[in-house]
Amino acid sequence: MLYGAMKVTVGGSLKLAFRPWVEGLEHVPAEGPAILASNHLSFSDSFFLPAVLDRKITFIAKAEYFTTPGVKGRLTAAFFRGAGQLPVDRSGARGAGEAAIRSGMEVLERGELFGLYPEGTRSPDGRLYRGKPGGLARVALASGAPVIPVAMIDTEKVQPPGKVVPKLVRPGIRIGKPLEFSRYEGMEHDRFVLRALTDEVMYEIMKLSGQEYVDMYATAMKRQLAEAAKAAKAGRDAEKAAKAELARAEKAEKEAQREQAAGRRRSDP
């Protein structure tokens, strides 16, 4: 009931304000379980996709969105639940993966749509990164549900990372044909199969989105960018400190020269 109210209010407002264009809605089945695997450009991805679908779609979200104390925290939790998102504790990588799989299986067993982002986190630069095989592939093989590739387009321009107020940019959503992986039935513990399945889905997402593909995990790229930013800051701080030290040395030298000049004047007859 809350999801329906959110879809009418929030979803309707998003469609009215941003007028997102959609291609491939016919690929989403009218009933039965399916996995929608999407690229991830913006926080708003989890709101634009449900807004254009007739059926309910459930995503997973980090538990912090549901456990923040205070009035703001309770409102945030209510908002995310109303938007069809389930909390998953990401404090441990393995535990988070298992929790995501359990959540996905429960949604699919109810005959509903389960949405996830194989990259595991938002793209730091708009490019498409390597998909993580644990969640997507294992849920697909364990459930037997079809995987529908989805490309979110220009949503990072609507709400760039770190920005609170969105821009009125028209985003797009391109939905591909369902992929089925019955040929891998019973092989959900084979890491090579998990990798192959995930790479196939990411390839379809890449074709739909037109993004440049980067064969590394987005989390690793974020670490590299954070380390580079930290190193750059350290370099700027060191340069600033060196300039300050040079300025102090120059000031001290000038003061010494003035004292020497004053001493000479006092010693002159």
Side-chain angles (χ1 to χ4, degrees):
M1 183 176 179
L2 182 56
Y3 183 89
M6 290 284 289
K7 185 173 179 61
V8 172
T9 56
V10 178
S13 298
L14 286 175
K15 291 170 71 173
L16 181 63
F18 295 96
R19 300 180 298 110
W21 56 266
V22 190
E23 295 177 0
L25 273 176
E26 68 275 10
H27 298 314
V28 180
E31 58 183 21
I35 302 167
L36 275 70
S38 173
N39 60 341
H40 199 12
L41 297 173
S42 169
F43 173 82
S44 60
D45 293 337
S46 298
F47 301 100
F48 277 112
L49 184 56
V52 302
L53 296 177
D54 292 332
R55 296 181 60 188
K56 177 182 178 180
I57 178 172
T58 300
F59 287 92
I60 55 175
K62 58 184 180 181
E64 289 87 339
Y65 288 143
F66 300 83
T67 57
T68 303
V71 175
K72 182 179 179 181
R74 289 194 294 272
L75 290 174
T76 300
F79 180 81
F80 275 89
R81 288 193 181 92
Q85 301 202 27
L86 297 174
V88 171
D89 185 357
R90 300 183 181 180
S91 56
R94 185 175 181 81
E98 294 299 329
I101 292 169
R102 288 195 301 272
S103 297
M105 290 301 298
E106 290 172 1
V107 171
L108 295 168
E109 286 169 0
R110 295 196 299 267
E112 299 176 359
L113 300 178
F114 179 57
L116 51 72
Y117 303 108
E119 292 168 281
T121 186
R122 281 173 281 177
S123 171
D125 53 17
R127 296 185 294 176
L128 183 67
Y129 284 81
R130 197 179 195 200
K132 294 186 174 183
L136 168 63
R138 288 179 61 188
V139 171
L141 294 179
S143 67
V147 178
I148 302 173
V150 177
M152 307 300 295
I153 298 171
D154 289 339
T155 53
E156 80 282 10
K157 297 176 182 177
V158 173
Q159 191 175 32
K163 299 295 183 181
V164 177
V165 180
K167 297 180 179 179
L168 288 177
V169 176
R170 191 183 187 194
I173 302 170
R174 191 172 285 128
I175 303 172
K177 295 180 180 179
L179 306 172
E180 65 90 23
F181 298 100
S182 58
R183 63 189 182 278
Y184 296 135
E185 184 178 356
M187 304 173 71
E188 60 266 23
H189 298 296
D190 187 320
R191 62 189 182 92
F192 295 106
V193 168
L194 299 181
R195 182 75 265 162
L197 187 157
T198 305
D199 287 346
E200 183 175 339
V201 174
M202 297 310 294
Y203 179 71
E204 294 300 321
I205 294 174
M206 181 187 70
K207 289 196 300 183
L208 291 169
S209 68
Q211 290 171 280
E212 177 186 348
Y213 180 74
V214 183
D215 193 21
M216 68 182 295
Y217 293 122
T219 49
M221 175 57 77
K222 286 186 175 181
R223 283 195 298 271
Q224 287 187 11
L225 293 174
E227 290 169 0
K230 184 178 179 180
K233 183 178 184 302
R236 291 193 299 270
D237 291 344
E239 182 180 2
K240 184 177 179 180
K243 288 181 178 179
E245 184 60 32
L246 178 61
R248 285 193 293 269
E250 291 177 345
K251 182 179 179 181
E253 182 179 0
K254 289 179 180 179
E255 290 177 351
Q257 290 174 351
R258 285 197 295 271
E259 290 178 359
Q260 289 176 359
R264 286 195 296 269
R265 287 194 296 272
R266 286 194 297 270
S267 62
D268 287 342

